[in-house]
Amino acid sequence: MRRAAAWICLALASLLGLPAAAREPRYTVLRIDTRSQPLALYLNDERGRPFHRFKDLDAWLQARGQRLRYAMNAGMFEPDYSPVGLFVADGRERAPLNLRAGEGNFYLKPNGVFVLDRDDRPHVIEASRYPDLARGARLATQSGPLLVEGGRIHPALDPQSRSRHLRNGIGVRGDEVIWAISDDKVSLYEFARYLRDELGCQDALYLDGTLSSLYAPELGRRDRRGKLGPILAVVEPSAAP
């Protein structure tokens, strides 16, 4: 298997000449080519205990001859850390699609699903479309809102919103999966616009906020903002002793 071809871009955008309070927010971006760097989705160990933290997942992987290269929290979870919506790992559905109405960002319709099919092709789709891809899904996680769909920003997102948090999400460009996490507090609209206009994502899904965390040692990132639920990861064989 050829060596991973993912490349990483640290986006530090600012408006020159403006005071600090007016600066554009900063983001950290990872671009992953799924043809050479397959993704994996994790939640619990073999005893059903949530991993919660990147270091615990990495330790579990190291004991199995693998290591964590990159990771990001991958969707919203209930108080017991079970996924709020769909969760598919290694082709097995472990939590069903959730199309119910409710309160909060997850239920801000349309919400969506990130899917990796059996050919390792990535998709971000509106949640009700998932059954069409379900049979071929190797990995899937549901969250909301669907920030960008077909190049259109979610109609409920307010450009004037004052609700700002650290946020992370996922977008797709061909075979490339784009992870983005804000380094500053941003609104959902600002985040959606960045994914579409700066990163070129015609489809993008919000994953979470406040607890948004990234594991990317090459960037000096081993975030520890709290206990996590689903974790999306790039895993590689451990280095030989």
Side-chain angles (χ1 to χ4, degrees), residues 42-123:
Y42 296 95
L43 180 64
N44 301 325
D45 65 15
E46 67 279 5
R47 297 182 182 180
R49 299 173 300 190
F51 289 110
H52 287 318
R53 296 179 177 86
F54 299 138
K55 68 179 183 65
D56 295 332
L57 174 57
D58 189 38
W60 185 84
L61 289 167
Q62 293 276 0
R64 289 156 179 79
Q66 298 175 298
R67 73 178 182 99
L68 192 61
R69 183 165 186 186
Y70 309 124
M72 185 171 67
N73 57 302
M76 299 172 190
F77 50 87
E78 303 287 3
D80 65 354
Y81 298 96
S82 62
V84 175
L86 179 73
F87 183 94
V88 175
D90 298 323
R92 293 177 51 208
E93 182 181 297
R94 302 182 187 183
L97 188 69
N98 181 353
L99 298 180
R100 300 189 301 271
E103 299 293 327
N105 287 330
F106 179 92
Y107 295 102
L108 188 58
K109 303 296 180 64
N111 59 13
V113 177
F114 170 72
V115 185
L116 200 64
D117 66 26
R118 289 176 182 168
D119 295 319
D120 286 325
R121 291 176 301 192
H123 311 266

Side-chain angles (χ1 to χ4, degrees), residues 13-235:
S14 64
L15 293 178
L16 297 178
L18 294 181
R23 285 181 183 170
E24 286 289 317
R26 299 172 301 170
Y27 300 85
T28 300
V29 177
L30 276 72
R31 303 176 185 268
I32 296 167
D33 186 340
T34 57
R35 295 168 300 180
S36 59
Q37 236 175 1
L39 296 172
L41 194 59
Y42 296 95
L43 180 64
N44 301 325
D45 65 15
E46 67 279 5
R47 297 182 182 180
R49 299 173 300 190
F51 289 110
H52 287 318
R53 296 179 177 86
F54 299 138
K55 68 179 183 65
D56 295 332
L57 174 57
D58 189 38
W60 185 84
L61 289 167
Q62 293 276 0
R64 289 156 179 79
Q66 298 175 298
R67 73 178 182 99
L68 192 61
R69 183 165 186 186
Y70 309 124
M72 185 171 67
N73 57 302
M76 299 172 190
F77 50 87
E78 303 287 3
D80 65 354
Y81 298 96
S82 62
V84 175
L86 179 73
F87 183 94
V88 175
D90 298 323
R92 293 177 51 208
E93 182 181 297
R94 302 182 187 183
L97 188 69
N98 181 353
L99 298 180
R100 300 189 301 271
E103 299 293 327
N105 287 330
F106 179 92
Y107 295 102
L108 188 58
K109 303 296 180 64
N111 59 13
V113 177
F114 170 72
V115 185
L116 200 64
D117 66 26
R118 289 176 182 168
D119 295 319
D120 286 325
R121 291 176 301 192
H123 311 266
V124 169
I125 57 172
E126 194 272 322
S128 67
R129 292 178 51 209
Y130 173 73
D132 295 335
L133 292 177
R135 184 169 296 180
R138 184 175 72 77
L139 172 159
T141 185
Q142 183 183 3
S143 192
L146 186 57
L147 295 172
V148 184
E149 182 180 16
R152 298 182 299 275
I153 291 177
H154 194 295
L157 302 189
D158 181 5
Q160 306 304 319
S161 174
R162 296 184 179 182
S163 176
R164 286 178 165 79
H165 299 278
L166 297 179
R167 302 185 189 277
N168 71 298
I170 191 166
V172 170
R173 289 186 60 183
D175 288 321
E176 185 178 64
V177 175
I178 299 178
W179 295 3
I181 184 168
S182 68
D183 298 328
D184 300 320
K185 294 180 179 181
V186 296
S187 71
L188 281 169
Y189 182 86
E190 289 168 335
F191 192 41
R193 187 182 63 184
Y194 179 78
L195 282 157
R196 184 190 68 178
D197 297 350
E198 301 300 326
L199 300 182
C201 297
Q202 293 295 295
D203 300 286
L205 180 64
Y206 182 57
L207 293 177
D208 210 346
T210 306
L211 284 177
S212 294
S213 301
L214 178 68
Y215 180 88
E218 295 168 22
L219 296 179
R221 295 286 296 262
R222 293 178 172 85
D223 297 349
R224 293 178 292 178
R225 294 197 175 100
K227 293 182 177 180
L228 305 176
I231 296 173
L232 189 61
V234 174
V235 175

